[in-house]
Amino acid sequence: MPDRASFNREHWKIYASVNEAFANKVVEVLERVTVDDARPVCIWIHDYHMLLVGNFIRAAAHERNLNIKLGFFMHCTFPPWDIFKILPWSDEVLQSLLESDLVAFNIHAYCLNFVDCCQRCLGCRVDRDKLLVENGSRTVCVRAMPIGIPFKEVEQQLKMLPPNGSNEIKEIVCVDRLDFIKGIIHRLYAYETFLQKYPEFHEKVFLLQITIPCRSDLDVFKSLKIEIDQQVGRINGLFATTKWTPIQYIYGMVDQVILFKNLRDASVAMITPLRDGMNMSAKLFVACQINSPPGVLILSKFAGTADTMVEALQCNPYEKFGVADLLYRALTMPNDEREARMMSLRKREMQNDSVHWSRSFLEAIESLVEKEGSVFEYPAMKPLDINDFNDYLPKYIMKAEKLALIAEYDGTLVPSNASLSSGIPSNTHEMLKRLSERQDLNICVISGRTAQALKDNIGIEKLIYAGNHGLEILYPDGSRFSYPMPDEFKDRCSDLLQSLQELTSKESAWVENQGAIVTLHLSPIPKPLRPDFIRQARGLIEKVGFHARICDDFIEATPPVAWNASQAVICIMRTVYGLDWSERVGMILVGDSLSDEEAFEKLRGVAATFSVVSSVRSKTAAERRLYSIESVHTLLSWIDDYLQRKLNGSVAVPNFLK
């Protein structure tokens, strides 16, 4: 119910800190655990209270080299993308859930929603048929595992209850916690409509509404309780007689004996939430139906249980006339139909009880663990191929006259820690050279290094080279753009270079002079020692008025000028194609650094954007993710194939673009 959503950044910080505290306790236990056969320890995380725990546990396990398997089960609904994106921290939630090896929900629809959100919010590669999500080198399995109730225990409790008494007045039972999603107000209106439309049932039925207090200290729930109280009083005032009260209302905790007795003796149960992840009251009603003839279950089609409880009379709780008619049908249903429906419901819930559910989940995690020297062949994402780009790239380039490819050098065409001399992998270099010969494509390579050094190293004449993150640009015809850099910045850069070299002489880090930018490489420094080193380096950088761009394995010191990579890209597009470039040219932007993020953000929706990252833990404004430089080569292959097919006139326009 998005209209009731409100967000507070401080509340979110507290939520995250509580999740981190739980994760720290789990890690403490993990470090004390001794596993004889060196098999991973399985950790099972539950529900929306712990959405960020997986992220903290995975990070700690990686640092401490702990062997774990993470499983997460969501007890409530998982909304579709257009609702989920309302959450300001939707990316963080998905990133944490994808640190699990297995993510499970109550029904298949929630699995599809989750997979869709992973693709549309994070840009992950997914397999909707097999319910798989790619997270770096791992495949996250998504499964539907409907939760059950302790069916046998409920049956044992029922044997100790006294027999039911007279059924002269039929009971309609409703059991809910105090919550807007339970649809209590809508149900009362539907019951009122029933009493108006079917007066012959006056003094022959009564509705028992049991409401369990929940968050009753919050004003919004206090208001809901007041509204329920008022509606119960109003309806009773309209229809009650001296010997009949149409609604009996209990607000409070109910003894289990009383609850089970009412569920057993009821002729009808109305479980009509507006939205519910599962709804255990429906299952509990079925478990309690041991009388003959049994009761009838009226169930909202918006409850998760509706997916499996097909024998229930399913309703739309928003449509009070339909619910009223369904209640009439339930009360007048022949006994043989009652028996047939409830028999099937009970058989399913008996088989799929809470023991079956927990065992299924643990077996699913177990199937992801290496056994006897071999890895269990659970479904995994197939390797990336050119067909994986067919559902995304056409909408940006299909109707364009020409194509522009803008690619970062470090971390995109070469590993992020590679030296300039190591060069681009041979297959990627050959592909770039072939593509550079095309008349319908222009390629620009961007780097924090100088443009000339980049050109000398790559050695492909027909490329555009943008150095120092776009502060200088070399075009194939020999023309050159240089952002006017004040002399004082050059002096500051020289002073900064000397200061950072003095700092690194005490450590194993090293400094690279890239012209207007200075890069401090951190990879040789052990991660536990980095925070203090980064703090010192940041102080030196900011002391001379430069900006410190802190990445995983390096720090870039950039001058405080009003120019960035996104502006450089637009400058290149205007120079090559003219001011109307966006109407004629399709753009593909691929990168991996913070400077690229500025371009992703500014050009989102204008260009097809790809971020090259190691896992979903990295937040990005790009619409899609690639997890290796090999994936970038696959992207180049798709471009080559597409342009060749376009030249041959064999490109089919997708239906969604017609």
Side-chain angles (χ1 to χ4, degrees):
M1 307 181 73
D3 59 312
R4 297 189 179 277
S6 63
F7 304 105
N8 183 300
R9 191 171 297 276
E10 292 304 313
H11 292 172
W12 172 256
K13 290 179 181 178
I14 294 170
Y15 175 84
S17 66
V18 171
N19 274 245
E20 186 174 14
F22 270 89
N24 290 339
K25 288 297 181 182
V26 172
V27 173
E28 287 179 16
V29 174
L30 282 174
E31 291 179 321
R32 296 196 300 266
V33 171
T34 301
V35 182
D36 294 336
D37 58 1
R39 289 162 62 80
V41 176
C42 293
I43 303 166
W44 189 356
I45 306 169
H46 286 263
D47 218 9
Y48 66 91
H49 315 81
M50 301 286 135
L51 289 172
L52 302 183
V53 167
N55 197 21
F56 292 118
I57 293 178
R58 180 70 69 181
H62 180 73
E63 288 180 5
R64 295 165 173 78
N65 198 29
L66 301 175
N67 192 10
I68 64 170
K69 286 290 181 183
L70 284 179
F72 185 94
F73 185 83
M74 179 72 86
H75 291 258
C76 59
T77 61
F78 195 91
W81 172 76
D82 58 339
I83 300 296
F84 184 70
K85 67 179 180 179
I86 295 173
L87 178 66
W89 306 281
S90 56
D91 282 10
E92 287 86 338
V93 169
L94 292 175
Q95 287 164 347
S96 181
L97 292 178
L98 288 178
E99 294 298 345
S100 298
D101 299 283
L102 172 67
V103 180
F105 301 91
N106 273 309
I107 63 173
H108 186 70
Y110 304 158
C111 295
L112 292 176
N113 288 345
F114 175 73
V115 170
D116 187 50
C117 286
C118 288
Q119 183 181 63
R120 300 178 76 170
C121 292
L122 296 183
C124 295
R125 195 165 65 99
V126 303
D127 186 328
R128 284 179 169 80
D129 294 330
K130 296 181 180 178
L131 294 177
L132 304 172
V133 181
E134 185 178 46
N135 180 6
S137 59
R138 293 191 301 110
T139 293
V140 180
C141 296
V142 183
R143 295 291 178 266
M145 296 183 178
I147 192 171
I149 62 170
F151 196 96
K152 293 180 180 178
E153 286 79 354
V154 172
E155 285 191 321
Q156 291 298 320
Q157 291 288 329
L158 291 170
K159 292 178 181 179
M160 297 185 289
L161 296 182
N164 57 313
S166 171
N167 285 332
E168 294 179 3
I169 299 181
K170 294 183 177 180
E171 177 185 338
I172 305 165
V173 68
C174 314
V175 182
D176 311 275
R177 72 172 188 272
L178 183 67
D179 201 321
F180 293 97
I181 69 168
K182 297 301 182 180
I184 299 173
I185 298 296
H186 293 72
R187 183 186 305 139
L188 293 174
Y189 283 135
Y191 182 59
E192 178 185 12
T193 302
F194 167 79
L195 294 176
Q196 291 170 340
K197 190 172 182 180
Y198 301 102
E200 64 270 26
F201 279 93
H202 290 196
E203 299 187 352
K204 294 182 180 179
V205 300
F206 72 94
L207 184 144
L208 173 62
Q209 174 63 55
I210 300 174
T211 305
I212 312 299
C214 178
R215 292 167 283 187
S216 53
D217 57 325
L218 300 179
D219 289 340
V220 67
F221 285 92
K222 290 178 181 178
S223 299
L224 175 60
K225 181 184 180 300
I226 291 172
E227 186 178 3
I228 294 172
D229 293 346
Q230 291 173 342
Q231 294 303 324
V232 169
R234 183 184 63 81
I235 294 171
N236 279 339
L238 285 173
F239 299 100
T241 65
T242 56
K243 57 181 180 179
W244 174 63
T245 303
I247 301 176
Q248 295 183 18
Y249 177 42
I250 299 175
Y251 176 77
M253 303 303 294
V254 178
D255 184 82
Q256 191 176 79
V257 173
I258 296 175
L259 177 62
F260 283 8
K261 184 177 186 301
N262 280 286
L263 289 172
R264 181 197 66 184
D265 298 342
S267 296
V268 177
M270 291 183 71
I271 310 297
T272 56
L274 306 179
R275 175 66 65 184
D276 216 340
M278 199 60 173
N279 196 294
M280 307 311 287
S281 294
K283 292 175 175 282
L284 195 57
F285 172 73
V286 169
C288 290
Q289 284 301 300
I290 59 175
N291 292 339
S292 182
V296 179
L297 174 61
I298 297 177
L299 181 62
S300 165
K301 62 177 67 177
F302 304 124
T305 43
D307 260 33
T308 55
M309 290 183 149
V310 294
E311 298 84 4
L313 301 184
Q314 297 193 9
C315 70
N316 178 354
Y318 294 94
E319 210 281 278
K320 63 181 182 180
F321 295 101
V323 177
D325 291 341
L326 211 59
L327 178 56
Y328 174 81
R329 179 184 169 189
L331 289 167
T332 59
M333 182 179 290
N335 290 344
D336 57 347
E337 184 180 350
R338 286 171 171 262
E339 294 281 2
R341 289 177 179 272
M342 188 54 64
M343 186 180 300
S344 296
L345 285 167
R346 283 179 57 80
K347 181 179 180 180
R348 184 183 301 109
E349 295 307 318
M350 187 183 302
Q351 292 174 345
N352 301 319
D353 64 357
S354 56
V355 175
H356 174 269
W357 166 73
S358 58
R359 182 181 293 122
S360 298
F361 191 95
L362 293 173
E363 287 176 352
I365 296 182
E366 181 73 10
S367 71
L368 310 182
V369 178
E370 186 176 343
K371 298 179 180 180
E372 298 179 1
S374 64
V375 177
F376 183 87
E377 294 185 1
Y378 67 96
M381 290 289 292
K382 62 180 179 62
L384 182 75
D385 63 35
I386 61 174
N387 294 320
D388 288 308
F389 299 102
N390 290 337
D391 67 338
Y392 172 63
L393 285 176
K395 69 178 181 180
Y396 285 103
I397 68 173
M398 185 67 74
K399 297 182 180 181
E401 298 173 9
K402 292 191 175 184
L403 184 61
L405 170 66
I406 315 294
E408 172 73 42
Y409 180 77
D410 298 279
T412 301
L413 297 176
V414 298
S416 57
N417 293 324
S419 64
L420 190 59
S421 60
S422 61
I424 300 173
S426 59
N427 60 343
T428 301
H429 191 277
E430 291 172 8
M431 181 64 72
L432 282 173
K433 189 171 183 179
R434 181 163 73 249
L435 289 172
S436 70
E437 298 294 332
R438 303 195 66 97
Q439 299 300 310
D440 49 2
L441 171 68
N442 282 289
I443 302 173
C444 173
V445 179
I446 298 182
S447 175
R449 308 169 192 273
T450 65
Q452 190 61 53
L454 198 61
K455 181 177 181 179
D456 292 343
N457 179 261
I458 296 177
I460 301 176
E461 290 295 327
K462 294 185 179 181
L463 298 186
I464 301 169
Y465 296 96
N468 288 306
H469 295 308
L471 290 174
E472 52 174 347
I473 303 170
L474 290 177
Y475 293 96
D477 62 1
S479 60
R480 183 187 188 100
F481 165 85
S482 294
Y483 185 84
M485 187 73 65
D487 290 338
E488 62 175 299
F489 287 164
K490 297 178 183 178
D491 295 336
R492 291 187 202 176
C493 188
S494 178
D495 293 340
L496 177 61
L497 181 63
Q498 183 177 350
S499 299
L500 292 176
Q501 285 173 338
E502 292 174 0
L503 176 65
T504 56
S505 65
K506 307 171 186 177
E507 302 288 348
S508 53
W510 56 285
V511 182
E512 184 178 5
N513 183 4
Q514 298 178 337
I517 295 174
V518 177
T519 300
L520 180 59
H521 294 270
L522 305 174
S523 52
I525 301 178
K527 286 190 176 181
L529 303 179
R530 288 187 189 180
D532 185 60
F533 184 82
I534 291 173
R535 179 184 57 79
Q536 296 180 60
R538 184 172 190 168
L540 293 173
I541 293 169
E542 294 177 349
K543 184 178 180 181
V544 299
F546 274 45
H547 298 309
R549 182 179 286 143
I550 301 173
C551 301
D552 288 342
D553 293 318
F554 62 90
I555 304 174
E556 279 187 339
T558 60
V561 295
W563 191 257
N564 55 43
S566 64
Q567 291 169 301
V569 169
I570 293 173
C571 175
I572 291 168
M573 298 299 288
R574 286 178 173 179
T575 302
V576 176
Y577 300 108
L579 295 178
D580 63 341
W581 66 269
S582 61
E583 299 177 11
R584 300 183 294 104
V585 182
M587 186 197 304
I588 299 174
L589 182 59
V590 193
D592 81 310
S593 67
L594 290 178
S595 62
D596 299 314
E597 288 298 323
E598 296 170 350
F600 293 153
E601 187 68 40
K602 295 284 180 64
L603 297 170
R604 188 181 177 96
V606 177
T609 51
F610 293 88
S611 179
V612 184
V613 294
S614 59
S615 75
V616 296
R617 196 176 301 164
S618 303
K619 189 175 178 65
T620 180
E623 290 186 316
R624 289 290 187 271
R625 293 169 185 256
L626 299 173
Y627 291 108
S628 65
I629 60 173
E630 290 78 17
S631 299
V632 177
H633 179 268
T634 306
L635 171 61
L636 297 178
S637 299
W638 186 93
I639 295 172
D640 184 50
D641 177 73
Y642 166 78
L643 292 176
Q644 191 59 48
R645 286 188 290 112
K646 184 178 180 181
L647 184 65
N648 298 335
S650 59
V651 173
V653 179
N655 290 330
F656 65 86
L657 289 177
K658 292 179 180 178

